[in-house]
Amino acid sequence: MGVLTDYFRAADAATVVRALEPTEGGLPPLGTDGSFDGVEAKGVDPDVMLGQLLAAALGEPWRVGLVAETAVWPTTPEPGPAGPEDEDDPWATGPWVTELGDAARDALAGVPDERIPEVVGQWAEAEEWDGADPADLLPLAEELIALARRARAAGERLYCWMCL
């Protein structure tokens, strides 16, 4: 079972919640018709996979929590350490949306164009990519970096929508 992930930019969490409420957290609309500006990034979760891209951009080792995240969806209180009590709880079933910290946005946005191939080469070495060719990852990395640049320029935040 794969995880679907989309990254997008928005002014704030309230804007995101208003957009997700009609579909109970369903896929945020990505596009240029007044919907969110975003990137489809199947399987690139914020903590591990995006975190490894961020680590490469920063020139430091990856670590858990490198990408600071704040839960935005579901809007119900987050369950305790034992997890959701009900298997139908939206915290168990998703979808989930997190707001990424500005430090991640700014680090990605700050990667100079001439350094992108080097950063992607390091990202491709992540164990989770299982020997992926950096050339195959380059378009996605360029899209994520460009999205971060647009978000920073607009004073917006980055968000990740995930669903099983």
Side-chain angles (χ1 to χ4, degrees):
M1 176 185 323
V3 176
L4 299 177
T5 51
D6 288 346
Y7 289 88
F8 61 98
R9 65 186 179 102
D12 54 37
T15 301
V16 174
V17 169
R18 277 192 307 276
L20 296 176
E21 283 175 335
T23 61
E24 297 183 4
L27 184 66
L30 302 180
T32 57
D33 57 353
S35 55
F36 293 113
D37 174 17
V39 174
E40 293 179 11
K42 183 178 179 182
V44 178
D45 70 287
D47 191 41
V48 177
M49 298 304 292
L50 188 72
Q52 300 225 17
L53 177 60
L54 181 60
L58 294 169
E60 60 184 60
W62 171 81
R63 65 185 184 285
V64 171
L66 183 60
V67 176
E69 295 180 81
T70 304
V72 172
W73 190 272
T75 57
T76 58
E78 218 170 321
E85 292 180 21
D86 180 359
E87 65 184 37
D88 292 330
D89 185 310
W91 285 98
T93 62
W96 307 272
V97 176
T98 59
E99 180 180 271
L100 309 183
D102 288 343
R105 176 201 64 194
D106 294 346
L108 291 175
V111 175
D113 288 343
E114 63 274 4
R115 249 195 94 226
I116 293 175
E118 169 198 340
V119 167
V120 173
Q122 292 172 5
W123 191 33
E125 293 174 9
E127 180 180 323
E128 292 77 9
W129 284 123
D130 194 31
D133 183 341
D136 294 336
L137 301 178
L138 183 62
L140 175 58
E142 289 174 328
E143 286 185 76
L144 290 167
I145 289 167
L147 178 66
R149 288 174 180 171
R150 292 190 302 272
R152 183 176 65 179
E156 294 179 330
R157 312 299 296 269
L158 286 179
Y159 295 87
C160 179
W161 176 90
M162 295 190 327
C163 185
L164 298 177

